[in-house]
Amino acid sequence: MTSRRHFLQKITASGLALPFLPSLKAEAEHLHTFNGEPYQGPVLRVAIMGLGSYGTRVAEAMRDCKMAKLTGVISGTPSKVKDWQSKYGIPEKNCYNYENFDNIKNNPDIDAVYVITPNGLHKDQVIRVAKAGKHAICEKPMAINAAEGQEMVDACKKANVKLLVGYRMHFEPKTLEIIRMRKAGEFGKVLFFQGLSGFTIGDPRQWRLNKKLAGGGAMMDIGIYSINGARYMVGEEPVWVTAQETKTNPEKFKEGVDETIQFQLGFPSGAVASCLSTYTMNNLDRFFLNGEKGFAEMQPSTGYGPIKGRTHAGELTHPHVTHQTVQMDEMAGIILQGKQPVVPVDGEEGLKDLKIIDAIFLAVKSGKKVDLKL
């Protein structure tokens, strides 16, 4: 039987180009329940593309959403589609595969598609979603390099649809509290950030260790958290990067698939960041921010939760919320109501992280400091 990876590679190469059709708006009023209370208002109707473990996590979290509802699925595995139909009450007319999902253009039950597939497939799939006139939510990293990311941004602008990226931490309460404190000057002048992101990866045959599908290794999967975290914790855009790679297992981590990269970022104010991205060490999920007047520490900092944090003022005690539930409700607000999040989650935000990743890989290869213009 052809593996899912080979199937995805095969069908992605044959994406269909369709003329742009205007996006269908969500229902003006839709009755939905949230924590037992009726919610009457606009609801974003979402199809999930890619029914793997994270797609399942998002689907489960959306059961508690008030402004977003799972209404469709896109998958290359018919058995998964049947399971999801039964579990989430999805009608047959809202089920698609990777070859025919362009037909969502004719389906008023779907307003947006959440693309949760291997990184190397994001560009073509998001562009097809945009051409079908639907809003696109894309899991991070948005693409495998900045050039692809720019194509996605341009395609969504041309189609007049939103492109959002799955930055769930941008809505996490403890994270937002630290950002509030930093903006209020409670840390004083920010001097230093440290981001540690890593775990020991298993099966060497998985797509995350396939250069074509992943676009790299640990940096594309876990290191991006430290890149993005450095930006929203410091509150500036970096202007230079240096980086060094360590590879202890070239059989598992082949050419173009990074195992461990240490990288440093410099910011206009003089603040610096020192970060680690790895696929060979566990217990690495920590952010630390230091300023002239105080500090903030988060550990775990980006896991599914509960996030734990403290500052010079004491422990952060905000209750844990399911990240994906909040993310999808907030993204519905962005799409349906034009809400502006504290930290952006749009395609331009995703593009900035991709530019930094490109620069990190260049710094590793050249051994030199690479200037950034974001």
Side-chain angles (χ1 to χ4, degrees):
M1 180 180 291
T2 304
S3 70
R4 177 174 182 266
R5 177 187 303 163
H6 292 148
F7 176 81
L8 289 169
Q9 288 175 316
K10 179 180 177 182
I11 59 90
T12 302
S14 62
L16 302 176
L18 290 178
F20 163 72
L21 289 175
S23 174
L24 293 165
K25 294 183 178 180
E27 296 168 339
E29 298 293 325
H30 187 106
L31 188 63
H32 195 50
T33 58
F34 178 59
N35 290 342
E37 294 295 323
Y39 164 77
Q40 194 164 0
V43 170
L44 184 73
R45 297 160 297 186
V46 180
I48 290 180
M49 179 187 295
L51 310 185
S53 61
Y54 193 71
T56 299
R57 184 179 290 272
V58 172
E60 287 298 304
M62 287 183 68
R63 289 182 186 272
D64 292 325
C65 285
K66 66 175 181 178
M67 292 185 65
K69 181 181 180 181
L70 177 63
T71 59
V73 294
I74 302 169
S75 174
T77 308
S79 60
K80 286 185 179 180
V81 172
K82 291 297 182 185
D83 289 344
W84 279 51
Q85 280 188 267
S86 175
K87 191 171 186 179
Y88 301 107
I90 299 170
E92 183 68 31
K93 66 184 180 65
N94 293 354
C95 299
Y96 301 87
N97 59 46
Y98 293 109
E99 293 175 320
N100 69 11
F101 77 81
D102 308 271
N103 293 330
I104 60 174
K105 73 180 188 299
N106 300 316
N107 192 332
D109 290 345
I110 296 172
D111 304 306
V113 176
Y114 195 163
V115 177
I116 311 177
T117 56
N119 311 331
L121 308 182
H122 290 175
K123 185 198 77 170
D124 289 345
Q125 290 171 340
V126 165
I127 290 175
R128 288 171 66 186
V129 168
K131 288 181 176 179
K134 305 298 182 178
H135 301 293
I137 303 170
C138 184
E139 196 42 48
K140 60 189 178 302
M142 188 172 73
I144 61 172
N145 55 51
E148 286 198 355
Q150 187 66 63
E151 286 187 60
M152 295 161 69
V153 169
D154 292 344
C156 289
K157 284 183 178 178
K158 182 179 180 181
N160 196 31
V161 297
K162 296 279 190 185
L163 170 57
L164 304 180
V165 185
Y167 289 116
R168 58 188 166 82
M169 301 312 299
H170 293 197
F171 309 108
E172 196 280 319
K174 295 182 179 72
T175 301
L176 290 175
E177 172 61 11
I178 291 175
I179 292 172
R180 184 203 66 76
M181 292 177 68
R182 187 253 302 154
K183 287 182 174 181
E186 295 182 36
F187 303 121
K189 177 180 170 62
V190 173
L191 304 172
F192 175 74
F193 171 81
Q194 182 187 52
L196 304 178
S197 300
F199 64 92
T200 301
I201 198 165
D203 186 358
R205 299 167 297 177
Q206 64 182 284
W207 70 262
R208 288 177 177 82
L209 297 177
N210 179 310
K211 174 68 162 62
K212 184 175 181 181
L213 288 177
M219 185 61 64
M220 304 300 288
D221 181 25
I222 192 70
I224 191 173
Y225 284 99
S226 280
I227 292 172
N228 194 249
R231 295 175 52 228
Y232 62 67
M233 292 283 275
V234 173
E236 300 179 52
E237 299 296 4
V239 292
W240 59 259
V241 61
T242 53
Q244 308 79 38
E245 181 177 11
T246 303
K247 187 171 290 191
T248 64
N249 188 344
E251 283 300 312
K252 187 172 185 177
F253 304 98
K254 300 187 184 302
E255 181 68 26
V257 178
D258 51 287
E259 176 184 343
T260 299
I261 292 179
Q262 298 175 76
F263 61 95
Q264 302 77 41
L265 300 169
F267 297 88
S269 67
V272 292
S274 177
C275 303
L276 174 69
S277 165
T278 184
Y279 262 162
T280 56
M281 288 179 265
N282 288 325
N283 308 308
L284 292 176
D285 184 10
R286 179 178 184 267
F287 286 175
F288 179 77
L289 184 73
N290 196 35
E292 289 182 334
K293 295 181 181 179
F295 73 91
E297 180 182 32
M298 304 180 76
Q299 186 174 2
S301 57
T302 62
Y304 295 141
I307 300 300
K308 294 183 180 180
R310 67 187 181 101
T311 74
H312 60 279
E315 296 288 328
L316 299 178
T317 58
H318 304 70
H320 171 66
V321 292
T322 301
H323 298 173
Q324 294 80 8
T325 302
V326 178
Q327 173 195 322
M328 295 309 295
D329 267 338
E330 291 292 332
M331 287 186 165
I334 292 169
I335 292 173
L336 298 175
Q337 301 172 345
K339 288 185 66 176
Q340 295 297 316
V342 173
V343 184
V345 292
D346 55 21
E348 284 79 5
E349 175 78 0
L351 186 57
K352 289 177 180 179
D353 282 344
L354 291 175
K355 289 179 178 178
I356 296 172
I357 290 175
D358 285 354
I360 288 172
F361 289 150
L362 179 57
V364 164
K365 187 175 181 179
S366 68
K368 299 178 180 179
K369 179 187 287 186
V370 176
D371 291 332
L372 289 166
K373 293 182 180 179
L374 303 184

